[in-house]
Amino acid sequence: MKKIYTTLIVIAAIIIGLFLAGPFFVINEGEQAVIIQLGTLKRVITDAGLKLKIPFIDEVVRYPKKIMAWSGTPELIPTAEGQYIFVDVVARWRISDPSTFYKSLKTEATAIDRLGRIIESSVRTVVAENPLIESVRNSNIITERAGTQVLGGDDIDITVDINVEEIGSPAQNESNHRPITKGRRQLAQLILARSSQDLEKEFGIELIDIVTRQISYSAQLTQSVYARMIRERNQLAMAYRSDGEGRKAEWMGKMNREKETVLSGAYEQSQTIMGRADAEAARIYSLAYSGGDRANFYSFWRAIESYRQTMPKFDKTLTTDMEYFRYLYSPR
């Protein structure tokens, strides 16, 4: 009897010990786990709930089921032209196969390190294979608007058409304005495709997307970009000045033509008036000299006007006995 009690006590102790060791565990929402039994992966748990394990033998390794972010550091990368730019990208990823993930990487820290090396290698390769403009632009809107500039404010809106055949447009003269064939978004897709190759098969990781967070120029390239911008602005200013000088010449020509027309009309009118006046004067002179009292009066009036102008200038008069002073003695 005593032996039976002892056996029951031992069994109860074992059962209590097993419960104290924790045969049950909980997988929360957003989690997944692998069960490792004496160093060997036995099973994968992907659904949430209360689960059972063998105490002291089974080890539960938990992994997040949610989407996680990877953030890189800006790297100086040469483009196809040999111009260096800083490229900063971010990515989203998740553990799609916990079994493969555990076998190849085991921890998230190792996964982030490996993922970073893969993505950074893909970024360097894709950026180096493409020109600078493919990395910094997404569309060709800048080339579609080249050749026409609009100046405007609240009260004015002037469109200036630039003759690109004479001065050349920025799109023709600067490589930065050449049409793009891919663009930054497509390059990001190329980086994603290159990075995702065999990633899920080898590491159990699904790379969801890669986004270019920032692209900045190196110090040397920044100076080159500033110089190019200055050239473009100077070229545009030259185009505005050329257009302005052309319009000025056009308006000055119109003004001079109108001026000549007005002066010509005024001269013609003045000559007509002067001709009429001369004719009228000739008619009056003719009447004055035609004889009779009018002729005598005209001679008398001319003599009196002459006396009025010349006599005040004489210091002294010695005699008035001459033909000039005949009207002083007689009106005839």
Side-chain angles (χ1 to χ4, degrees):
M1 191 70 173
K2 183 177 181 181
K3 187 177 181 180
I4 294 174
Y5 285 136
T6 302
T7 302
L8 292 175
I9 291 172
V10 171
I11 293 173
I14 292 174
I15 293 174
I16 293 172
L18 290 176
F19 274 98
L20 292 176
F24 298 103
F25 64 97
V26 176
I27 298 297
N28 298 315
E29 292 292 340
E31 284 186 339
Q32 53 190 342
V34 293
I35 304 300
I36 308 301
Q37 190 177 92
L38 301 176
T40 304
L41 192 151
K42 287 297 183 181
R43 57 193 176 105
V44 176
I45 303 174
T46 57
D47 56 324
L50 183 64
K51 308 298 178 181
L52 181 65
K53 68 174 182 176
I54 301 175
F56 307 111
I57 296 177
D58 289 348
E59 177 188 0
V60 181
V61 180
R62 302 171 186 267
Y63 295 122
K65 200 175 183 180
K66 60 186 179 181
I67 296 174
M68 294 172 285
W70 174 88
S71 179
T73 56
E75 288 195 15
L76 191 61
I77 304 173
T79 63
E81 307 96 333
Q83 297 176 330
Y84 285 83
I85 57 176
F86 286 98
V87 182
D88 185 12
V89 300
V90 294
R92 295 188 303 165
W93 64 285
R94 69 182 185 90
I95 301 173
S96 58
D97 187 351
S99 175
T100 305
F101 183 86
Y102 176 81
K103 292 177 182 178
S104 58
L105 300 172
K106 289 190 170 55
T107 64
E108 293 178 46
T110 305
I112 291 174
D113 179 69
R114 182 64 64 86
L115 191 62
R117 282 184 285 172
I118 293 173
I119 294 176
E120 289 168 358
S121 175
S122 300
V123 170
R124 285 192 296 270
T125 301
V126 172
V127 171
E129 289 176 349
N130 292 274
L132 174 64
I133 58 172
E134 302 290 348
S135 297
V136 298
R137 284 169 46 198
N138 281 324
S139 68
N140 287 316
I141 187 172
I142 191 171
T143 57
E144 294 169 0
R145 296 179 60 182
T148 300
Q149 297 291 333
V150 177
L151 300 177
D154 296 334
D155 303 322
I156 187 170
D157 188 5
I158 303 173
T159 301
V160 179
D161 295 324
I162 302 172
N163 191 338
V164 297
E165 294 182 356
E166 295 181 359
I167 65 171
S169 70
Q172 293 172 331
N173 296 333
E174 299 297 339
S175 61
N176 192 45
H177 286 177
R178 290 198 305 266
I180 61 173
T181 58
K182 298 176 184 176
R184 189 165 59 189
R185 291 191 181 93
Q186 188 170 344
L187 291 191
Q189 293 298 319
L190 292 176
I191 295 172
L192 176 64
R194 182 180 290 270
S195 301
S196 299
Q197 290 179 356
D198 300 326
L199 193 62
E200 188 166 3
K201 181 179 179 181
E202 293 182 7
F203 303 109
I205 293 176
E206 178 187 0
L207 194 57
I208 298 173
D209 59 14
I210 294 177
V211 178
T212 303
R213 179 166 55 187
Q214 184 180 19
I215 292 179
S216 56
Y217 299 135
S218 63
Q220 181 180 1
L221 185 56
T222 298
Q223 296 301 321
S224 173
V225 170
Y226 286 161
R228 183 172 64 244
M229 292 172 63
I230 291 172
R231 289 197 302 271
E232 290 177 3
R233 294 301 97 186
N234 288 337
Q235 186 182 51
L236 187 58
M238 186 184 302
Y240 282 129
R241 291 191 188 99
S242 176
D243 184 79
E245 290 295 332
R247 296 193 180 192
K248 174 186 174 182
E250 179 183 352
W251 283 104
M252 289 296 292
K254 290 181 180 179
M255 184 185 71
N256 289 333
R257 287 194 298 272
E258 291 179 3
K259 174 184 174 182
E260 293 298 330
T261 301
V262 172
L263 290 177
S264 177
Y267 179 77
E268 180 183 2
Q269 188 176 2
S270 68
Q271 292 299 312
T272 301
I273 294 173
M274 290 177 63
R276 291 174 181 174
D278 290 341
E280 183 66 17
R283 186 184 66 80
I284 294 173
Y285 278 123
S286 177
L287 290 175
Y289 285 107
S290 62
D293 293 338
R294 288 193 299 272
N296 293 333
F297 176 76
Y298 180 74
S299 298
F300 175 76
W301 180 77
R302 291 289 299 270
I304 294 301
E305 288 296 318
S306 178
Y307 297 159
R308 188 177 298 169
Q309 295 181 13
T310 58
M311 292 185 68
K313 299 178 182 178
F314 293 166
D315 293 335
K316 58 183 177 179
T317 304
L318 299 178
T319 181
T320 58
D321 186 13
M322 58 180 65
E323 180 65 21
Y324 178 71
F325 292 107
R326 69 183 182 277
Y327 286 105
L328 294 178
Y329 307 101
S330 172
R332 293 183 183 273

